[in-house]
C-alpha cells in the first residue's frame, strides 16, 4: 500500500515550528518548505493579489542592482518559492522582498564593504561564516544566471516560465549543493537567499520590503510603537495595529 504524503501549508509550518509565536527561524527549517508548498499552490509564482489593508507608499521603490527585467524576475520567483503566498497571507513578491534584496545588493550588504575580505580563502566549516572572495552582489549575480541555465538544461525553458514544482526542484538542488558555482557553493547561496528573503519579509517597510507591514501582521508583531503604557496592565491579549518608521508622525 502506497504511503500517504501530507502536503504542508505555510500555516502548518508556522504552527509546528513556533514561528507564529515569534520564535527564531532555524537555518534549515524554512528549506523544508521547498517542495511541500508546490502542490497547494493554484497560482503562478508571479501572480499578485491586493491586500486587505491600505497600502503605505514606499519612499524609494525601484530597482538599483538588477536593472535587467529577466534577472529581476528570476530573483522574484525564487523568493516566492521560498516564501509563497497562501491562506496565511502574502508571499515574497506581494511583500516586496525582491525589491528589498535588490536594494540591499546595491549597497553595503552587496559590496561587503564593512567586512574583512582579504585572503586566504579556504573552504571553512559552517560555523566559520563568510569565506568566499566574492561579494554578495557577485554571488547573487552568478546564482541568478545559474538558476536560468539550470532551468534551460533541465526543462528547456527560462526559470520564470517553468512550473512551480520545477522551480522547487532547482532550488532544492542549490540547497543540496548539487549545482557547481565558482568561488562559492550553491548551498551557501541558498542560505544567503533564504536569509535575505526572510529579512525582506520582516524588515521595516522603509527598506522596501514587508509591504504595508503585512509580514508583521502575519506574526502579530506591533512594529515601532511609541509606548504600551495604555495596555501594559491589561490581562487581556492585545491586538495592536503595527506602525513602521515611515508611519510614525
Amino acid at each position: 500500500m502506497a504511503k500517504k504524503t501530507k502536503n504542508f501549508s505555510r500555516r502548518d509550518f508556522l504552527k509546528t515550528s513556533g514561528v507564529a509565536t515569534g520564535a527564531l527561524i532555524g537555518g534549515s527549517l524554512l528549506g523544508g518548505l521547498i517542495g511541500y508548498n508546490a502542490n497547494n499552490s493554484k497560482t503562478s509564482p508571479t501572480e499578485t493579489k491586493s491586500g486587505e489593508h491600505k497600502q503605505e507608499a514606499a519612499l524609494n521603490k525601484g530597482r538599483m542592482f538588477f536593472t535587467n527585467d529577466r534577472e529581476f524576475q528570476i530573483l522574484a520567483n525564487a523568493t516566492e518559492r521560498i516564501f509563497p503566498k497562501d491562506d496565511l497571507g502574502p508571499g515574497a513578491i506581494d511583500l516586496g522582498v525582491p525589491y528589498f534584496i535588490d536594494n540591499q545588493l546595491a549597497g553595503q550588504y552587496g559590496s561587503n564593504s564593512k567586512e574583512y575580505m582579504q585572503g586566504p580563502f579556504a573552504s571553512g566549516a559552517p560555523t566559520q561564516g563568510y569565506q568566499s572572495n566574492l561579494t554578495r552582489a557577485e554571488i547573487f549575480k552568478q546564482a541568478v544566471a545559474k538558476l536560468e541555465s539550470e532551468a534551460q538544461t533541465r526543462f528547456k525553458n527560462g526559470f520564470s516560465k517553468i512550473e512551480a514544482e520545477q522551480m522547487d526542484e532547482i532550488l532544492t538542488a542549490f540547497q543540496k549543493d548539487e549545482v557547481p558555482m565558482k568561488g562559492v557553493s550553491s548551498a551557501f547561496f541558498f542560505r544567503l537567499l533564504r536569509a535575505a528573503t526572510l529579512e525582506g519579509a520582516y524588515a521595516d517597510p522603509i527598506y522596501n520590503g514587508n509591504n504595508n507591514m503585512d509580514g508583521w501582521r502575519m506574526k502579530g508583531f506591533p512594529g515601532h510603537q511609541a509606548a504600551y503604557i495604555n495596555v501594559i496592565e491589561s490581562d487581556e491579549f492585545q491586538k495592536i495595529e503595527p506602525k513602521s518608521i515611515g508611519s510614525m508622525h
Side-chain angles (χ1 to χ4, degrees), residues 141-179:
K141 195 79 171 178
Q142 179 189 171
V144 164
K146 281 286 184 179
L147 287 168
E148 180 72 0
S149 64
E150 283 294 310
Q152 293 287 354
T153 300
R154 294 171 186 243
F155 306 113
K156 311 302 180 187
N157 213 339
F159 185 83
S160 296
K161 296 180 180 179
I162 60 179
E163 299 296 323
E165 293 84 354
Q166 295 171 330
M167 292 182 185
D168 288 350
E169 178 183 317
I170 293 173
L171 288 169
T172 300
F174 272 78
Q175 183 184 20
K176 293 181 177 179
D177 206 12
E178 296 173 351
V179 180

Side-chain angles (χ1 to χ4, degrees), residues 24-93:
L24 178 67
I25 297 178
S28 62
L29 289 178
L30 194 65
L33 286 177
I34 294 293
Y36 289 138
N37 52 52
N39 293 330
N40 288 338
S41 177
K42 307 287 186 189
T43 58
S44 164
T46 55
E47 290 179 10
T48 59
K49 187 171 82 173
S50 298
E52 296 177 1
H53 307 279
K54 183 180 179 182
Q55 292 293 319
E56 180 181 317
L59 298 180
N60 57 339
K61 199 76 161 186
R63 289 172 5 214
M64 304 176 187
F65 183 75
F66 285 112
T67 55
N68 179 280
D69 290 341
R70 180 179 58 83
E71 291 179 332
F72 185 75
Q73 281 303 312
I74 292 170
L75 172 68
N77 283 298
T79 62
E80 183 73 10
R81 295 314 301 153
I82 291 176
F83 198 99
K85 67 178 179 180
D86 60 11
D87 61 322
L88 187 64
I93 290 177

Side-chain angles (χ1 to χ4, degrees), residues 175-207:
Q175 183 184 20
K176 293 181 177 179
D177 206 12
E178 296 173 351
V179 180
M181 292 182 65
K182 294 181 179 179
V184 68
S185 70
S186 63
F188 183 75
F189 163 71
F190 182 84
R191 290 194 296 272
L192 278 182
L193 176 65
R194 181 176 55 196
T197 299
L198 290 173
E199 288 162 6
Y202 297 120
D204 190 282
I206 198 172
Y207 299 107

Side-chain angles (χ1 to χ4, degrees), residues 9-20:
S9 69
R10 190 169 74 229
R11 182 181 292 277
D12 295 325
F13 172 76
L14 293 177
K15 284 181 179 178
T16 57
S17 68
V19 178

